Amino acid sequence: MEAKSKPIADSSEWHWWLLVAFIAVLVAGAASITIWRNYHQLQNKVLHLRTPPDGVMQKYSDALRISTQFFDVQRSGRLENNHIEWRGDSGLQDGKEEHLDLSKGLYDAGDLIKFGFPMAFTATVLAWSILEYGQHMEEVKELKHAQESLKWITDYLINAHPSDNVLYIQVGDPDVDHKCWERPEATTEKRPAIQVNISHPGSDVAAETAAAMAASSLVFKNQDARYSKSLLDHAQKLFQFADSYRAVYSESIPGIQDYYNSSGYSDELLWAATWLYHATGDGYYISYVTVMHGDAFADWGNPTWFSWDNKLAGTQVLLSRLNFFGLGKEISMVENLNLQMYRRTAEALMCRVLLPPPKNQKTKGGLIWVTEWDTLQYSIATAFLAVVFSNYMFTSKTPYLYCNGKLYESMDLREVAISQADYVLGNNPMNMSYLVGFGRNYPQYVHHRGASIPINTNTSCEDGFKWLNSRKPNPNLAIGAVVGGPFLNDTYIDSRNNSRQAEPTTYNSAFFVGLMSGLVTSTHVVRSFT
Ligand SMILES: *[C@@H]1O[C@H](CO)[C@@H](O)[C@H](O)[C@H]1NC(C)=O
Ligand SMILES: *[C@@H]1O[C@H](CO)[C@@H](O)[C@H](O)[C@H]1NC(C)=O
Ligand SMILES: *[C@@H]1O[C@H](CO)[C@@H](O)[C@H](O)[C@H]1NC(C)=O
Ligand SMILES: *[C@@H]1O[C@H](CO)[C@@H](O)[C@H](O)[C@H]1NC(C)=O
Ligand SMILES: *[C@@H]1O[C@H](CO)[C@@H](O)[C@H](O)[C@H]1NC(C)=O
Ligand SMILES: *[C@@H]1O[C@H](CO)[C@@H](O)[C@H](O)[C@H]1NC(C)=O
């Protein structure tokens, strides 16, 4: 059979169509410019969006200066410019058996182990805080201090990655360490260094370390180009290792499980790729988080709490940055749609904290409350994301966030962040500041070996427990420590043996430094990372 096909149009008809189409485009263009103008006028004149007050907030400036000092308290290695009078050199032999210098880095909490997974995460969050709010830190003269604290970790991470597919992820044996109660300066126990490698891989810890190094490469880019480049090289190789040999590190090395047991690596892979995109601008990493692995890894639509174990919420906010401000490059439509899914999920988290929460997710005193163990981690991490997201909205002139039929503006989110910050700083039913060294009433019995043992005593491993069990308050101030925090009923038991409430962590401090930097002044226009 022969199909009779009619030509769509002859050439003279084409010309007419082109003219009509051209006129249509002109009209539509003019109309949309008018709509756009009206929209902006509307926004400026009618909406009266609230903005924060001008100037430096003294309270947050004081709290920022105090909270950065916890990174000094936690230092291992040969100390430089040490202002913590009860701290001295420690961990000088760390890594020696492996012919590496792993002496630097931070003890994670109240004990004397250097856990690579939370240490790298601390670095990533601190680097992010500097990238978003370095100018605020500079205004209160804390930027240099924050950068030095970050470098103390990244120096360690560089040495911990001696070849492409080997990463040291821990120094010290927690089982040995937990049988002792000692000052870091006095310990004599063996401190083995544990690695992940091809036969025992760990995508979570390798990718988190890649994220830390990629983010830090941006921080140091303008002041030390070689160091920055070296960090970025390490980050790319570690990401490759993490992605090629996929495994949960605490399954490869089950001995880890009692401490920083990881619930999976897909969040860290996305988080690392997101940081690598920010550091390199390489479109491969956008494809990685969208068309290649979005469906399998991103869990769009299900907001989660940001923590040392779960980086999805951080990834969503960090990718929203691209959605708010553009990438400066062409990406495919599907990639674009996937990026929007990240932003929608970030918005769902923001809505969760803006809307009245379910009963067991907020204390009567107003604290976002997730778990009995180190609960402040979640409250502060969420508040940090809220202030960052609020700044993205403000700078991009996004007037509203729509949550279950209600409209919220960027200031509403900032106020959520302020409420969490103020709770931590003493505006709570206990009138207790959970930032050690801030205010008049803060924990005196922080679960912290170094802070609990007088500097001029000679205790060895086991007899040191008398200092854990002592009735007296800590002799040394763990300044800047953010402890685990209150129970759901807003109470806090200030007891040294109460580690779920009284133990501080470096990542709590990293989140808190970020939160304080976000709130300390109102000049909060989002700037480029590079
Ligand atoms: C790989 O890592 C495992 C776990 O840390 C370790 O037992 C093993 O010795 C390492 N392999 C090599 C070749 O060093
Ligand atoms: C560690 O996490 C895995 C996976 O979530 C779980 O199966 C395992 O029981 C956990 N181990 C410990 C000691 O909690
Ligand atoms: C906290 O301070 C308020 C106001 O100063 C006071 O009414 C309240 O009794 C205090 N609560 C505690 C537990 O000290
Ligand atoms: C602690 O012990 C060491 C070695 O046993 C000794 O040299 C030092 O003087 C002692 N220090 C104190 C304060 O007792
Ligand atoms: C608060 O909660 C904790 C933990 O659930 C509980 O042990 C304590 O007795 C409660 N305190 C009050 C005053 O209800
Ligand atoms: C401290 O807490 C641990 C773990 O909960 C417990 O085993 C130990 O007996 C406690 N020590 C004291 C002195 O209360």
Side-chain angles (χ1 to χ4, degrees):
M1 286 258 295
E2 187 174 89
K4 280 198 172 177
S5 62
K6 186 183 177 294
I8 301 166
D10 68 26
S11 62
S12 65
E13 268 180 305
W14 264 116
H15 288 135
W16 278 112
W17 278 115
L18 270 180
L19 188 63
V20 169
F22 182 65
I23 291 168
V25 166
L26 278 185
V27 170
S32 66
I33 286 168
T34 317
I35 290 169
W36 184 245
R37 276 217 192 105
N38 287 347
Y39 172 75
H40 273 274
Q41 278 170 7
L42 195 72
Q43 203 172 295
N44 296 337
K45 284 191 186 156
V46 182
L47 299 186
H48 293 301
L49 294 177
R50 286 171 299 137
T51 56
D54 285 336
V56 167
M57 299 278 290
Q58 193 58 45
K59 178 171 55 168
Y60 300 139
S61 160
D62 293 346
L64 177 58
R65 245 180 243 125
I66 288 169
S67 53
T68 46
Q69 294 187 60
F70 192 59
F71 302 122
D72 302 331
V73 167
Q74 295 304 95
R75 279 189 184 192
S76 162
R78 193 176 301 287
L79 303 186
E80 295 160 16
N81 303 322
N82 175 33
H83 301 299
I84 309 294
E85 71 278 6
W86 51 273
R87 282 302 325 277
D89 296 348
S90 65
L92 297 180
Q93 308 299 315
D94 286 1
K96 272 255 165 77
E97 272 179 20
E98 318 288 327
H99 308 290
L100 296 172
D101 177 2
L102 300 179
S103 61
K104 283 187 172 182
L106 305 182
Y107 304 113
D108 75 302
D111 55 18
L112 305 180
I113 305 301
K114 293 191 288 201
F115 290 104
F117 194 36
M119 198 202 307
F121 182 57
T122 298
T124 317
V125 173
L126 184 56
W128 191 6
S129 305
I130 295 172
L131 290 169
E132 295 285 356
Y133 300 123
Q135 214 171 31
H136 295 190
M137 293 177 179
E138 180 60 19
E139 273 188 59
V140 295
K141 300 276 172 290
E142 274 300 317
L143 178 58
K144 189 155 168 269
H145 189 188
Q147 288 169 335
E148 285 168 358
S149 302
L150 178 61
K151 189 160 182 291
W152 201 263
I153 305 179
T154 51
D155 284 352
Y156 168 91
L157 295 178
I158 287 174
N159 289 354
H161 183 220
S163 63
D164 290 3
N165 297 329
V166 172
L167 174 68
Y168 284 87
I169 51 120
Q170 183 172 311
V171 183
D173 177 341
D175 294 333
V176 172
D177 184 81
H178 286 198
K179 291 195 183 97
C180 302
W181 190 268
E182 298 174 288
R183 303 178 64 233
E185 293 80 359
T187 126
T188 54
E189 285 68 38
K190 267 198 161 15
R191 294 174 56 79
I194 300 174
Q195 59 169 255
V196 289
N197 50 42
I198 291 176
S199 64
H200 294 73
S203 304
D204 29 28
V205 67
E208 183 58 61
T209 308
M213 291 171 128
S216 304
S217 79
L218 286 164
V219 169
F220 296 115
K221 198 167 184 171
N222 292 329
Q223 66 202 61
D224 189 343
R226 255 187 67 202
Y227 189 70
S228 164
K229 170 92 177 33
S230 160
L231 285 170
L232 188 54
D233 287 345
H234 280 285
Q236 284 167 312
K237 286 180 177 140
L238 276 169
F239 181 72
Q240 191 71 42
F241 171 44
D243 193 35
S244 311
Y245 300 91
R246 292 209 191 146
V248 172
Y249 87 126
S250 39
E251 282 171 13
S252 295
I253 310 175
I256 300 286
Q257 287 189 13
D258 285 339
Y259 302 94
Y260 285 96
N261 194 12
S262 165
S263 63
Y265 53 72
S266 45
D267 53 327
E268 280 86 15
L269 287 173
L270 297 175
W271 171 240
T274 301
W275 276 112
L276 279 161
Y277 177 74
H278 280 283
T280 62
D282 184 341
Y284 168 76
Y285 296 112
I286 291 296
S287 303
Y288 188 93
V289 301
T290 57
V291 287
M292 290 168 65
H293 299 295
D295 279 334
F297 290 171
D299 199 16
W300 290 312
N302 287 319
T304 44
W305 301 110
F306 193 27
S307 74
W308 64 262
D309 187 27
N310 190 333
K311 284 75 186 216
L312 283 178
T315 305
Q316 289 145 13
V317 171
L318 195 58
L319 286 172
S320 299
R321 204 178 208 277
L322 303 175
N323 192 276
F324 272 109
F325 304 109
L327 288 83
K329 69 162 74 208
E330 288 286 313
I331 58 172
S332 75
M333 202 165 79
V334 183
E335 288 174 331
N336 220 332
L337 285 171
N338 286 355
L339 282 186
Q340 278 178 38
M341 299 293 283
Y342 282 104
R343 175 159 163 194
R344 297 294 161 245
T345 313
E347 287 173 352
L349 178 66
M350 297 303 137
C351 288
R352 184 190 272 186
V353 299
L354 284 163
L355 293 164
K359 232 196 187 130
N360 58 356
Q361 283 185 358
K362 206 168 204 182
T363 70
K364 280 212 180 82
L367 185 72
I368 295 167
W369 196 93
V370 174
T371 160
E372 215 158 70
W373 201 286
D374 194 13
T375 198
L376 283 181
Q377 170 185 200
Y378 301 91
S379 345
I380 302 170
T382 308
F384 169 67
L385 294 181
V387 76
V388 168
F389 203 86
S390 134
N391 289 0
Y392 293 172
M393 285 178 66
F394 186 85
T395 304
S396 65
K397 296 194 187 328
T398 304
Y400 293 126
L401 181 62
Y402 185 78
C403 305
N404 278 10
K406 285 210 177 86
L407 292 175
Y408 293 96
E409 20 180 303
S410 73
M411 267 304 279
D412 292 314
L413 264 185
R414 193 177 174 89
E415 275 156 12
V416 168
I418 288 171
S419 72
Q420 302 305 296
D422 289 354
Y423 186 108
V424 173
L425 295 177
N427 188 5
N428 59 56
M430 296 285 282
N431 297 334
M432 164 81 88
S433 158
Y434 294 107
L435 173 65
V436 173
F438 183 90
R440 274 174 303 176
N441 183 27
Y442 50 79
Q444 303 294 314
Y445 294 83
V446 176
H447 179 94
H448 192 277
R449 286 164 173 69
S452 69
I453 305 175
I455 186 166
N456 58 355
T457 50
N458 251 351
T459 45
S460 59
C461 168
E462 279 176 20
D463 55 0
F465 278 105
K466 68 174 181 240
W467 299 109
L468 169 66
N469 298 330
S470 154
R471 296 284 175 93
K472 293 194 184 136
N474 285 351
N476 308 315
L477 186 68
I479 187 165
V482 177
V483 296
F487 290 129
L488 181 56
N489 57 21
D490 288 304
T491 66
Y492 180 81
I493 300 168
D494 191 10
S495 155
R496 203 177 286 118
N497 198 32
N498 172 18
S499 42
R500 70 187 57 192
Q501 289 194 292
E503 187 166 15
T505 62
T506 55
Y507 35 96
N508 284 9
S509 291
F511 287 131
F512 202 69
V513 163
L515 176 59
M516 288 302 100
S517 311
L519 295 178
V520 71
T521 93
S522 62
T523 42
H524 61 311
V525 171
V526 174
R527 296 174 319 137
S528 154
F529 281 170
T530 47

